[in-house]
Amino acid sequence: MTIIIGIDGLEYEYVKEFGCKDLMQKSFGKTNIEEYEEPRTIVLWSSFLAGQNLEEKIVAMGNEKMWDFALKPEETFFKHFESFKAVDVPGYNYGREQHVLEREMLKKFFAEEITVEEFDKPVFDYHRKLKEQFFEDLEKDYDLLFYYFNAADVLGHLSFGMKSKMKLIYQDMNDIAAKAAAKGEPMLILSDHGMKSVGRYGDHQEGYGFWSNSLGKDLGNPKITELAEFVANEMK
Ligand SMILES: [Zn+2]
């Protein structure tokens, strides 16, 4: 079974600073996303899935509509796998309801209608549920298992500058990676873009994302679109 853990907004520098060994795996580095006008989540994951830059096409849909963009399996590298399960992956089967809720809560926070704790709670609850489901699926028999986690990004938007809090979130992601690594299967960990602090808050980092793999293969500074081929050809 090939395992992919997609982690939104996982910052390379924090992974190193917090010593998250299981996120780094045997080989890790930065992707190169400099060709994108903006580090948009939906654009980057879709481009990864399709193995081509879909920025122009998705941005043309407009800010609200672009989150509905969804590729068919035959338009992605999933077609190279006989059986696969992809959970919550932007550009394929993103769980819209949860993410609409998160964006509404972000607006409420900045309108001073809710506190950071009230913002965080449903994000943590959703994350916990997803994590349990992932651990169950690790015991099943798919050719490809791809889980996407967005807590590092969503919580990071309000707290990226608060290192001790972010460290706990990164350690939790590290624990998830450790449990998956224990299966001894080929595994890719990928992030669409990094994060940078803006005071206590956070915003998407331009220019790079994060990759690591269990094979010890040094991918250098790959474009996110080069990784579909790597998964299909070298990670089975
Ligand atoms: Zn993102």
Side-chain angles (χ1 to χ4, degrees), residues 5 27 56 63 68 71-72 81 84 92 102 111 120-121 132 136-137 141 165 184 186 201 203 217 223 225 230-231:
I5 304 179
S27 186
E56 208 181 321
N63 267 337
D68 293 331
L71 294 158
K72 298 185 182 80
F81 293 84
F84 65 88
Y92 183 68
E102 285 162 2
D120 288 352
K121 189 175 179 302
E132 275 166 34
E136 281 169 25
D137 279 337
D141 195 19
K165 178 172 172 183
Y201 303 122
D203 201 357
K217 169 121 183 168
K223 292 183 177 183
T225 45
F230 171 66
V231 172

Side-chain angles (χ1 to χ4, degrees), residues 8-9 40-41 45 148 153 192-193 204:
D8 212 283
R40 291 183 182 89
T41 294
W45 290 108
Y148 165 82
D153 176 282
D192 48 351
H193 51 76
H204 294 183

Side-chain angles (χ1 to χ4, degrees), residues 7-235:
I7 307 175
D8 212 283
L10 188 77
E11 170 54 44
Y12 174 91
E13 300 298 340
Y14 272 12
V15 171
K16 278 213 309 193
E17 188 178 332
F18 300 153
C20 298
K21 292 256 178 316
D22 294 288
L23 291 176
M24 296 187 238
Q25 303 191 86
K26 283 194 182 142
S27 186
F28 74 103
K30 288 179 178 176
T31 59
N32 177 351
I33 56 165
E34 278 168 15
E35 70 190 273
Y36 300 88
E37 224 172 86
E38 273 182 53
R40 291 183 182 89
T41 294
I42 184 77
V43 166
L44 293 165
W45 290 108
S46 302
S47 299
F48 165 56
L49 292 173
Q52 55 172 303
N53 183 332
L54 295 174
E55 185 171 44
E56 208 181 321
K57 189 174 174 182
I58 295 174
V59 169
M61 294 170 75
N63 267 337
E64 282 306 311
K65 276 267 166 73
M66 68 170 82
W67 286 95
D68 293 331
F69 182 79
L71 294 158
K72 298 185 182 80
E74 61 268 26
E75 295 170 319
T76 73
F77 62 81
F78 298 162
K79 67 183 173 203
H80 301 294
F81 293 84
E82 266 179 41
S83 67
F84 65 88
K85 182 169 183 178
V87 175
D88 215 13
V89 177
Y92 183 68
N93 61 356
Y94 206 44
R96 191 144 170 76
E97 225 170 278
Q98 174 69 16
H99 304 297
V100 168
L101 172 80
E102 285 162 2
R103 278 202 297 281
E104 278 170 5
M105 293 208 314
L106 202 57
K107 279 187 207 148
K108 280 188 185 167
F109 173 80
F110 284 111
E112 295 180 12
E113 290 167 23
I114 58 169
T115 63
V116 177
E117 290 72 24
E118 284 168 323
F119 175 83
D120 288 352
K121 189 175 179 302
V123 181
F124 275 124
D125 289 347
Y126 183 72
H127 175 73
R128 228 171 276 125
K129 205 176 75 187
L130 206 58
K131 183 164 113 177
E132 275 166 34
Q133 196 190 317
F134 179 48
F135 292 160
E136 281 169 25
D137 279 337
L138 279 174
E139 303 307 319
K140 294 177 188 162
D141 195 19
Y142 300 103
D143 291 328
L144 171 70
L145 185 63
F146 182 175
Y147 261 74
Y148 165 82
F149 295 90
N150 76 345
D153 176 282
V154 179
L155 299 169
H157 276 289
L158 291 195
S159 304
F160 192 76
M162 302 184 72
K163 270 195 189 174
S164 54
K165 178 172 172 183
M166 292 311 294
K167 192 172 178 181
L168 294 175
I169 295 157
Y170 276 58
Q171 279 167 345
D172 188 63
M173 289 313 309
N174 192 66
D175 292 346
I176 293 173
K179 190 143 179 178
K183 299 298 291 177
E185 304 281 355
M187 182 159 82
L188 175 75
I189 297 177
L190 183 66
S191 186
D192 48 351
H193 51 76
M195 292 289 281
K196 59 184 177 190
S197 52
V198 183
R200 71 153 285 160
Y201 303 122
D203 201 357
H204 294 183
Q205 169 71 49
E206 299 89 8
Y208 64 84
F210 174 91
W211 65 263
S212 75
N213 70 70
S214 62
L215 307 177
K217 169 121 183 168
D218 183 5
L219 300 173
N221 200 209
K223 292 183 177 183
I224 199 166
T225 45
E226 286 165 6
L227 294 169
E229 208 169 301
F230 171 66
V231 172
N233 294 337
E234 298 185 53
M235 295 210 66

